[in-house]
């Protein structure tokens, strides 16, 4: 994979938006990913009438899913799912190995409004924390590579103030990989007026040196003393944490330039970016297959006042309509048992 050294003002192959950018801090044996989402995450979040804190949490979940998926080698779908007992009861964000994103949130509107009103009455600001919006629950990571392969799943309780905190807990307790994560999502004003949702994430991991010592990076990594490696990791964690949300989200600051600002003293190298695209996997064929498996009486009970069965995709909000003629056709196409 071609690589370029990050330098001030440099773009990554001319792409600065809706992409995942791998990088290495070679002198310290560290690898990382930065994701920057603009129009694609805005399309996902604006399809639904989410309150702003809900949209922000889902945007951060999409950025986190992109980061975690980008660190894996897989051919299929990586899914981040949160189930909890808070005002937001479900968050789902998934990323295919082709970089196709989708996500949705389920929330209790009445409960959310009551909590927001109570905080406003007390003079408190909007609660954006995991305990306040999600409550108690769990975060699950799933890699699905098809029907004839084993599904990988990791599960961790929701622990910490942010989604990044929860992911830290997973890597620390389940993978034993030292990981530093930071995500951001905000509605950003446009110069011509209006605003757009933007999301970003930054992840650095401390990986063990590879065996063999064949590459220059291996030789450098293996030459570090334990104290040098530990000091370097602590420095990178501090630098990663110092990245401000506005820097991570700014369209005027290309990701390679931000990485250069943060890590230039240790020699950061960026690689070819991977594009991220808002694309749902729903289709009329898939919906028809589900409906065809249902008894006709149940389908009749599902009819709207206009006499049609309407199935709406939770992810992209696309509605599929079936009138009596469509339902009859499904019944005729279904093999008799």
């Amino acid at each position: 994979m071609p690589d370029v050294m990050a330098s001030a003002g440099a773009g990554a192959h001319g792409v600065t938006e809706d992409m995942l950018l791998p990088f290495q801090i070679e002198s310290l044996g560290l690898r990382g990913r930065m994701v920057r989402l603009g129009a694609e995450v805005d399309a996902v979040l604006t399809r639904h009438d989410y309150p702003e804190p809900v949209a922000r949490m889902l945007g951060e979940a999409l950025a986190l899913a992109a980061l975690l998926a980008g660190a894996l080698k897989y051919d299929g779908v990586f899914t981040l799912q949160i189930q909890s007992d808070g005002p937001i009861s479900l968050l789902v964000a998934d990323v295919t190995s082709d970089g196709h994103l989708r996500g949705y949130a389920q929330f209790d509107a009445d409960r959310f409004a009551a909590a927001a009103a109570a905080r406003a009455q007390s003079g408190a600001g909007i609660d954006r924390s995991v305990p306040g919006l999600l409550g108690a629950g769990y975060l699950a990571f799933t890699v699905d590579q098809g029907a004839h392969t084993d599904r990988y799943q990791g599960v961790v309780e929701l622990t910490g103030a942010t989604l990044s905190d929860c992911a830290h807990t997973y890597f620390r307790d389940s993978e034993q990989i030292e990981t530093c994560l930071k995500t951001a999502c905000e509605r950003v004003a446009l110069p011509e007026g209006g605003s757009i949702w933007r999301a970003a994430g930054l992840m650095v991991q401390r990986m063990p040196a590879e065996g063999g010592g064949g590459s220059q990076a291996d030789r450098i990594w293996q030459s570090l003393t334990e104290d040098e490696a530990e000091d370097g990791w602590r420095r990178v964690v501090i630098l990663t944490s110092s990245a401000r949300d506005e820097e991570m989200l700014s369209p005027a600051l290309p990701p390679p330039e931000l990485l250069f600002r943060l890590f230039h003293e240790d020699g950061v190298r960026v690689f070819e970016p991977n594009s991220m695209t808002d694309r749902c996997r729903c289709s009329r064929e898939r919906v028809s297959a589900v409906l065809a498996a249902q008894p006709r009486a149940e389908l009749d009970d599902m009819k709207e006042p206009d006499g049609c069965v309407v199935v709406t995709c939770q992810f992209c909000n696309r509605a599929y309509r079936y009138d009596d003629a469509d339902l009859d056709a499904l019944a005729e196409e279904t093999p008799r048992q």
Side-chain angles (χ1 to χ4, degrees):
M1 183 165 53
D3 58 84
V4 294
M5 290 301 293
S7 60
H13 303 264
V15 180
T16 61
E17 293 296 315
D18 297 311
M19 57 80 158
L20 179 75
L21 182 65
F23 66 91
Q24 288 185 9
I25 305 175
E26 293 177 304
S27 65
L28 297 174
L30 306 177
R31 71 178 186 185
R33 299 287 190 277
M34 181 173 179
V35 63
R36 171 77 65 76
L37 302 173
E40 303 301 313
V41 75
D42 184 70
V44 174
L45 299 182
T46 55
R47 287 197 187 101
H48 302 270
D49 188 21
Y50 294 131
E52 288 217 359
V54 178
R56 185 178 294 107
M57 186 70 76
L58 178 55
E60 289 198 37
L62 286 162
L64 180 59
L67 287 175
L68 299 180
L72 301 173
K73 293 182 179 180
Y74 70 104
D75 183 12
V77 182
F78 174 90
T79 302
L80 180 156
Q81 179 172 314
I82 296 172
Q83 289 189 314
S84 62
D85 62 3
I88 303 175
S89 58
L90 179 66
L91 276 178
V92 181
D94 66 37
V95 186
T96 72
S97 45
D98 293 324
H100 299 160
L101 290 166
R102 65 178 191 171
Y104 75 93
Q106 290 182 357
F107 65 98
D108 186 321
D110 293 337
R111 194 173 165 193
F112 186 87
R119 288 183 64 85
Q121 188 173 11
S122 67
I126 297 174
D127 191 349
R128 301 180 179 182
S129 70
V130 165
L133 295 177
L134 296 170
Y138 69 86
L139 169 64
F141 309 123
T142 305
V143 179
D144 188 346
Q145 301 191 86
H148 302 293
T149 60
D150 293 332
R151 297 180 69 187
Y152 168 81
Q153 185 172 61
V155 181
V156 65
E157 290 186 3
L158 294 175
T159 304
T162 67
L163 293 183
S164 296
D165 291 339
C166 300
H168 279 140
T169 301
Y170 170 75
F171 279 109
R172 184 191 66 223
D173 296 346
S174 300
E175 299 291 337
Q176 286 81 53
I177 297 176
E178 290 185 274
T179 302
C180 181
L181 277 161
K182 184 176 179 64
T183 59
C185 180
E186 294 287 348
R187 190 183 287 277
V188 177
L190 296 172
E192 62 273 21
S195 61
I196 183 175
W197 280 106
R198 299 177 64 81
L202 183 59
M203 178 176 76
V204 184
Q205 292 183 309
R206 184 179 181 183
M207 306 300 295
E210 297 179 3
S215 71
Q216 182 181 6
D218 279 338
R219 291 192 293 272
I220 294 174
W221 297 344
Q222 292 170 13
S223 69
L224 295 175
T225 67
E226 183 175 345
D227 287 344
E228 288 172 338
E230 187 64 30
D231 288 345
W233 172 248
R234 290 176 181 171
R235 181 170 65 254
V236 167
V237 169
I238 292 172
L239 291 171
T240 301
S241 302
S242 73
R244 302 189 308 273
D245 287 0
E246 54 266 32
E247 290 180 312
M248 296 178 63
L249 299 170
S250 174
L253 182 60
E257 183 172 331
L258 175 58
L259 294 175
F260 180 82
R261 288 185 184 184
L262 293 173
F263 308 124
H264 66 278
E265 291 187 2
D266 292 303
V268 61
R269 183 180 296 272
V270 299
F271 298 91
E272 184 177 352
N274 301 306
S275 63
M276 310 301 294
T277 308
D278 161 38
R279 185 174 301 177
C280 191
R281 299 192 299 279
C282 72
S283 67
R284 190 172 183 87
E285 290 73 22
R286 290 190 176 189
V287 175
S288 295
V290 173
L291 294 181
Q294 308 302 315
R296 180 56 185 267
E298 291 188 12
L299 295 180
D300 288 337
D301 289 340
M302 294 168 57
K303 288 181 178 178
E304 301 287 334
D306 65 358
C308 293
V309 172
V310 181
V311 179
T312 302
C313 177
Q314 292 176 301
F315 287 96
C316 68
N317 220 25
R318 180 179 177 182
Y320 296 89
R321 304 181 66 84
Y322 293 81
D323 58 19
D324 281 332
D326 295 324
L327 297 177
D328 290 340
L330 289 179
E332 292 174 1
E333 294 172 2
T334 304
R336 297 182 180 275
Q337 299 296 323

